[in-house]
Amino acid sequence: MFHGTITEELTNHEEWSHYNENMIQDHKDFVFVKFSGLHLKSMENLQSCISLRVCIFSNNFITDIRPLKSCIKLVKLDLHGNQIKSLPDTKFWSGLKNLKLLYLHDNGFAKLKNVCVLSACPSLLALTMFDCPVSLKKGYRHVLVNSIWPLKALDHHVISDEEIIQNWHLPERFRTYNCRLFFNFCPALKKGSTYEDEINNIKYVISKINEIMAHNSPVLIVQRWIRGFLVRKHLRIKISSDICVT
C-alpha cells in the first residue's frame, strides 16, 4: 500500500502495467488511469495526461483536482471517497467539454454556491454528490438540477420533468424520486476492469438514462407523439396527392 504520489504508483504499482504497458515516460498518451484506495494525496502528474478520457481516483486523500485542467478529453471522472471540499472555478469546468459522468459523492463539499460552478460543464449528464454535507442542504437537488442544464441524472435518480418545470404536479409514475426513475449509475468498481470495459460502461449508463427519460418524461412522450402525428399526416397527404396524379 502506497501513501505518496502518482509517480510512485506509476513506477511501483503492479496493477498499472495491465492498463498502460511501457508508457511510464509518455503520460500524454494515457487514456485511462485507475488509482482507487491507494491513499494518494496528489494528482500532480495528471496535468501532462492530455489524452486522458477515463480517470478513476476514488477512495484516496485528494484535496485539489486542479491538475486535471489539461485533461480536456475526459469523459468520465470518478473522485468519490476523497477529501475534496471545494471545486475549481467555471473556467476549469468549461474546458472539460466532453465530460459526461462525474462522481463526487462521499467528499467534503458543504456550500451550494461552490458546487454550482459545475453549471459551466457543457456536456455533464450524470452527477453524484450524495454523502456530502451539501446534499443535506435545503433545496440542494433543486438548485443543482436547475443550474446544470445538460444534467439528466443526479445521485440515484434520473431527473423528472416535475423538477424542471415549476409548479407542475404530475401523476405518481412521473414524480420525482419515483421508482421508475431510480438508476444506480455508479456501481462498485470491478477489479481489473480495462479501458474498453469503462467505455462500454459509459455507453451503457448514458443509454440507460436516455431510455428511462424516454419512458418517464411527459414532455418527451408528448414530443414523440406529436412528431409521429406530423409524420403520419405528411405521409397521408403525400399518398393522397400521388393517387390523384395517377
Side-chain angles (χ1 to χ4, degrees):
M1 181 67 72
F2 291 90
H3 300 260
T5 66
I6 299 171
T7 304
E8 291 172 327
E9 289 300 318
L10 289 175
T11 54
N12 292 289
H13 196 258
E14 173 183 336
E15 194 177 1
W16 178 259
S17 60
H18 180 67
Y19 303 120
N20 297 286
E21 294 180 359
N22 303 319
M23 293 174 64
I24 304 302
Q25 301 302 322
D26 201 2
H27 295 184
K28 73 178 187 299
D29 290 331
F30 289 167
V31 293
F32 176 34
V33 295
K34 180 182 178 183
F35 293 116
S36 181
L38 299 175
H39 294 196
L40 294 174
K41 298 177 181 178
S42 170
M43 306 179 81
E44 87 290 350
N45 277 62
L46 288 187
Q47 58 192 355
S48 59
C49 299
I50 58 176
S51 298
L52 195 62
R53 294 180 182 275
V54 178
C55 178
I56 299 175
F57 243 83
S58 57
N59 298 313
N60 287 296
F61 295 137
I62 303 300
T63 58
D64 183 10
I65 67 171
R66 285 175 295 180
L68 291 171
K69 65 182 178 182
S70 300
C71 306
I72 58 175
K73 295 184 179 180
L74 273 172
V75 178
K76 175 181 177 179
L77 178 57
D78 186 348
L79 296 168
H80 83 265
N82 278 285
Q83 297 180 354
I84 307 168
K85 293 184 178 180
S86 63
L87 292 173
D89 60 17
T90 54
K91 185 177 179 181
F92 174 95
W93 296 105
S94 63
L96 302 182
K97 299 185 185 302
N98 300 307
L99 185 63
K100 297 185 184 301
L101 308 183
L102 178 59
Y103 302 148
L104 294 174
H105 56 278
D106 194 17
N107 272 287
F109 304 109
K111 296 182 179 180
L112 270 173
K113 183 179 180 181
N114 179 247
V115 174
C116 286
V117 296
L118 293 174
S119 62
C121 200
S123 301
L124 187 60
L125 299 179
L127 169 69
T128 63
M129 296 204 76
F130 60 88
D131 291 339
C132 295
V134 71
S135 66
L136 301 176
K137 295 278 188 180
K138 184 178 180 180
Y140 148 77
R141 188 175 174 93
H142 174 77
V143 170
L144 288 187
V145 166
N146 290 279
S147 298
I148 309 172
W149 288 4
L151 201 64
K152 294 183 177 181
L154 176 59
D155 295 337
H156 295 307
H157 288 83
V158 173
I159 295 168
S160 70
D161 288 351
E162 196 174 50
E163 295 180 88
I164 301 171
I165 303 174
Q166 191 172 5
N167 298 323
W168 194 17
H169 302 291
L170 297 172
E172 181 62 31
R173 64 161 290 189
F174 299 119
R175 285 185 179 173
T176 306
Y177 296 125
N178 185 277
C179 61
R180 293 170 180 262
L181 297 172
F182 176 84
F183 176 41
N184 181 19
F185 55 90
C186 53
L189 296 174
K190 293 182 180 179
K191 187 175 181 180
S193 60
T194 64
Y195 174 66
E196 290 74 20
D197 293 333
E198 288 296 331
I199 291 299
N200 288 334
N201 177 256
I202 291 169
K203 291 178 180 178
Y204 167 75
V205 168
I206 295 173
S207 174
K208 187 65 177 178
I209 290 173
N210 288 333
E211 179 186 339
I212 292 173
M213 291 195 75
H215 289 91
N216 297 281
S217 165
V219 171
L220 293 181
I221 292 171
V222 170
Q223 287 177 346
R224 190 163 61 245
W225 184 89
I226 292 174
R227 284 196 298 269
F229 171 78
L230 293 176
V231 169
R232 289 190 296 272
K233 182 179 179 180
H234 175 73
L235 289 175
R236 283 198 299 269
I237 293 172
K238 189 176 186 305
I239 291 171
S240 298
S241 61
D242 288 344
I243 292 174
C244 290
V245 170
T246 57

